[in-house]
Amino acid sequence: MGYAIYKRRKKTLLFLTVPFLVSLFFFLIAVVWTIFISFTNQKLTGIEAINPKIIGLKNYLYILKNSTFIDSLTITANFTFLSAIIGQCFIGILLAAFVRQGFIKRPVFIEIPILLGWIVPDTVAAFSWLALVDDTGFVNQVLSWLNIESTGSLMEHHGFFIITVNNVWKGLAWSYLLFTAAIDGVSREILEASTMDGVSAGRQIYHIIIPSILPQIFINLLLITIWTVGVFSIPYIMSNGNPDTNILGVFMYNQAFASQRIGLASSISVIMTCIVGVFAALYFYFQKKYEE
Amino acid sequence: MKKKLSSRIIMNILIGFIILFWITPFSWILTTAFNPYASSALQLPRYITFEHFQKALQDDRIVLWVFNSLWVAVAVATLTSIIVIMAAFPFSRLEFRGKGAILWFIILVRIIPFTATILPIYLFSSKIGLLNLGGVVLYQSVFAIPFGVLLMKSFYDIIPFEFDESAALEGASILQIIFYIIAPLSRSGIIVIWFMTFLQSWNDFLFPFIFSRTEAQHTMAIGLYSAFKENNAIDYGLLAVLSIIYCIPSVTLYFFARNKMKTGFAGVGVKG
């Protein structure tokens, strides 16, 4: 009976959603148009900018044979695995579990720093990190205290490592908060009883905590994987065009705006969307499954 | 729970390491901003100076960046909130065909990375003259609205139908019901959406980077980037001061909303 009063004014009501639906539609068009451009030789300037020709699958054939692209895929995969799956998800579970197990008495002390990393603008995160890894920056200061000879510009030689660690620094808060909320459902009594019986902390995490928050772990893994595949800003600001920070987002941007090959860049976008799409499909599948 | 001494020590070292690791960039920013001999090194200033702050406040460009960022973020947050207040209503109060599909679609918009759809949006905008801050406002709103609708719907859902019904019996129109009854009752939801959208826009790098290329249209993110990226002799003091100014909204908001953020978090990740 609930919405009976709106029945006869249904059309008026739906009218309210028009701007929203327009924006959804716009999004859909953007996706479809990306696919279309990826089949053309569209450029940013010149004749091909005004009159792009349809060249079929040529962009895809070219890009899949291009060794820089394959490298970029590998870098993105490593970046995602190390920074999202290990760095954010795994460490997030451990920290949340330590708090629940009583190892960390005052969680607020780690929460505030971790969350600050999460909320600062990308530009600030990138530039403050650039200062830290600068030739005279903090990292080199520490290295010289430890009497380790620095090997020139850190960003140039260890770029991949730096953007990976940076992404953990930036993103851990999300997983930590999510798992803290999930672990709240794990009974403290069970944990205490098992400690009495001599179960070690590691086994508690493996046998009690992880099984009881498995749905959240799955869903979080998929979400952060999707987001990490699409990362652009911080690696772009931090990198100086060194090849080992060339993740997919940066590679695509450079193809589109530096090399001006929009068609080619679109095919990279489509491939990116397909990769993300697989994870998104899994996400929806698990979401449905756990809701039932 | 009593823990063994050795594991307590290991854990404390671990916590100490985590805290140090996370606050190092912030300590660099804070010490450098007041350091007369600002450099990329992390060092305590010998004496405290405000010259970098003075320099920043006297710089017209920086005032312009703050102003641009501010009006864009306010416009995006307000536009998004108004659309969301209205658009979420039918999703909460009506059963109609395609509702499930649209809600499903919302989550899709939220999780497909921007980098995947930015190219056609760019081409389209360059054709119709939207390569400016107006375009930034438009696109940031487009991408903020779906999640806002989802969130607003969950706030509307807990308001009983009887409220609408009695208002309708008194002869209120639909817009009156929304703006005089339902929206005021869910003002905490509106506040959350407004500030979240504001922050997203204020912190965003990608959209202004691609759409507002001219100097008069730089936002904080792009101003910082263009001032410090292609420059070999970086003025680190100024960089630190600008970072502080740029971080003020998000950090302030965080300390205001810290507890609410934590309690409201359980559902967010799982429900999209």
Side-chain angles (χ1 to χ4, degrees):
Chain A
M1 125 110 212
Y3 59 95
I5 57 156
Y6 294 119
K7 267 242 160 103
R8 72 204 152 79
R9 295 199 278 185
K10 207 167 171 177
K11 279 190 186 129
T12 339
L13 249 185
L14 284 176
F15 189 68
L16 295 174
T17 58
V18 164
F20 169 61
L21 292 177
V22 167
S23 72
L24 275 189
F25 189 63
F26 176 80
F27 173 78
L28 195 66
I29 288 188
V31 174
V32 174
W33 201 7
T34 316
I35 299 173
F36 171 72
I37 299 172
S38 75
F39 292 120
T40 69
N41 65 349
Q42 174 108 31
K43 291 226 167 124
L44 204 55
T45 51
I47 299 175
E48 290 98 337
I50 306 157
N51 264 330
K53 280 203 194 77
I54 294 180
I55 53 167
L57 286 171
K58 265 189 192 153
N59 282 329
Y60 291 94
L61 294 175
Y62 174 83
I63 204 79
L64 289 172
K65 277 189 209 139
N66 183 316
S67 65
T68 324
F69 176 71
I70 305 296
D71 286 346
S72 174
L73 268 185
T74 322
I75 293 167
T76 310
N78 289 338
F79 178 69
T80 307
F81 179 75
L82 291 174
S83 74
I85 295 176
I86 303 284
Q88 293 177 15
C89 196
F90 184 66
I91 297 182
I93 293 174
L94 284 188
L95 279 183
F98 289 156
V99 170
R100 190 65 178 169
Q101 286 172 324
F103 281 112
I104 299 174
K105 289 269 154 50
R106 308 285 297 275
V108 69
F109 286 137
I110 56 167
E111 248 160 45
I112 290 180
I114 291 179
L115 261 86
L116 280 178
W118 187 41
I119 55 165
V120 295
D122 286 349
T123 328
V124 171
F127 278 121
S128 58
W129 271 65
L130 273 180
L132 294 186
V133 300
D134 189 65
D135 288 354
T136 54
F138 176 70
V139 175
N140 275 324
Q141 278 177 298
V142 173
L143 288 181
S144 69
W145 286 333
L146 298 171
N147 269 327
I148 300 171
E149 195 82 18
S150 169
T151 50
S153 163
L154 287 169
M155 200 55 214
E156 222 159 83
H157 295 280
H158 306 284
F160 176 75
F161 180 72
I162 293 170
I163 60 165
T164 306
V165 177
N166 173 282
N167 197 38
V168 179
W169 183 87
K170 192 86 184 65
L172 179 64
W174 167 270
S175 300
Y176 169 79
L177 284 181
L178 198 123
F179 290 135
T180 320
I183 284 178
D184 263 351
V186 179
S187 137
R188 265 218 170 98
E189 285 74 31
I190 293 177
L191 290 178
E192 274 175 33
S194 65
T195 313
M196 298 288 183
D197 292 340
V199 179
S200 70
R203 291 173 71 95
Q204 270 182 358
I205 295 176
Y206 187 73
H207 290 292
I208 302 171
I209 293 178
I210 290 189
S212 47
I213 58 167
L214 215 50
Q216 283 92 339
I217 293 178
F218 262 124
I219 290 201
N220 185 45
L221 269 178
L222 292 167
L223 272 181
I224 59 178
T225 303
I226 290 166
W227 289 334
T228 311
V229 170
V231 163
F232 166 76
S233 306
I234 296 185
Y236 179 79
I237 298 173
M238 286 186 77
S239 77
N240 257 330
N242 35 341
D244 63 338
T245 55
N246 201 10
I247 57 170
L248 274 180
V250 177
F251 183 59
M252 186 216 77
Y253 178 86
N254 284 335
Q255 287 299 324
F257 293 98
S259 311
Q260 309 209 333
R261 291 189 281 200
I262 297 270
L264 194 68
S266 297
S267 68
I268 303 169
S269 293
V270 173
I271 294 173
M272 243 167 111
T273 313
C274 290
I275 297 172
V276 165
V278 172
F279 290 106
L282 283 172
Y283 169 82
F284 286 123
Y285 174 76
F286 282 115
Q287 182 95 328
K288 263 241 155 79
K289 205 175 141 194
Y290 290 126
E291 262 170 17
E292 279 155 16
Chain B
M1 268 185 272
K2 276 261 179 278
K3 297 286 175 197
K4 266 185 284 174
L5 186 66
S6 61
S7 62
R8 272 205 343 242
I9 291 172
I10 295 175
M11 202 53 74
N12 280 328
I13 292 173
L14 183 79
I15 296 168
F17 176 76
I18 288 175
I19 294 174
L20 275 182
F21 178 64
W22 254 269
I23 63 169
T24 309
F26 299 113
S27 11
W28 178 80
I29 291 174
L30 287 178
T31 52
T32 308
F34 300 100
N35 191 344
Y37 306 103
S39 74
S40 60
L42 180 63
Q43 56 195 2
L44 279 179
R46 254 174 275 166
Y47 59 93
I48 285 181
T49 176
F50 290 95
E51 58 176 287
H52 305 304
F53 282 93
Q54 277 171 351
K55 208 197 256 168
L57 292 177
Q58 281 161 4
D59 194 329
D60 286 344
R61 290 179 311 162
I62 293 160
V63 177
L64 180 76
W65 300 344
V66 173
F67 174 75
N68 280 342
S69 275
L70 208 60
W71 82 253
V72 167
V74 168
V76 172
T78 310
L79 185 66
T80 304
S81 302
I82 292 173
I83 293 178
V84 160
I85 286 171
M86 295 195 290
F89 194 72
F91 285 103
S92 167
R93 293 310 202 236
L94 275 186
E95 289 299 327
F96 54 90
R97 210 183 291 166
K99 185 170 152 181
I102 294 175
L103 290 177
W104 183 87
F105 205 74
I106 291 173
I107 304 176
L108 195 68
V109 175
R110 171 118 173 100
I111 64 179
I112 283 195
F114 298 148
T115 29
T117 47
I118 199 99
L119 288 179
I121 298 180
Y122 172 83
L123 289 180
F124 176 70
S125 316
S126 71
K127 285 221 171 75
I128 61 166
L130 268 178
L131 285 186
N132 48 38
L133 288 179
V136 174
V137 171
L138 187 69
Y139 300 125
Q140 285 181 340
S141 309
V142 165
F143 284 100
I145 290 169
F147 184 60
V149 167
L150 213 58
L151 202 67
M152 205 63 218
K153 176 182 175 295
S154 70
F155 278 93
Y156 285 172
D157 280 349
I158 52 178
I159 298 171
F161 278 107
E162 285 74 17
F163 284 61
D164 312 25
E165 270 167 13
S166 46
L169 282 179
E170 301 283 336
S173 72
I174 289 174
L175 282 178
Q176 279 172 327
I177 294 177
I178 294 177
F179 282 103
Y180 289 109
I181 295 167
I182 306 297
L185 281 173
S186 33
R187 57 179 173 274
S188 52
I190 298 169
I191 292 170
V192 168
I193 290 171
W194 197 91
F195 278 106
M196 261 180 42
T197 318
F198 178 90
L199 268 195
Q200 253 171 34
S201 164
W202 176 269
N203 286 358
D204 186 31
F205 174 77
L206 182 64
F207 280 103
F209 181 57
I210 291 188
F211 292 104
S212 68
R213 291 279 170 128
T214 60
E215 238 169 68
Q217 306 215 324
H218 278 174
T219 60
M220 269 311 267
I222 311 310
L224 264 172
Y225 174 79
S226 62
F228 295 103
K229 182 57 187 177
E230 280 118 28
N231 197 342
N232 288 323
I234 294 180
D235 183 348
Y236 281 108
L238 193 63
L239 173 61
V241 166
L242 287 182
S243 301
I244 291 177
I245 296 174
Y246 192 19
C247 282
I248 288 173
S250 41
V251 174
T252 322
L253 209 65
Y254 163 65
F255 280 105
F256 269 116
R258 205 165 65 83
N259 292 321
K260 279 194 186 132
M261 207 153 100
K262 268 182 72 185
T263 47
F265 209 85
V268 177
V270 184
K271 286 177 187 143

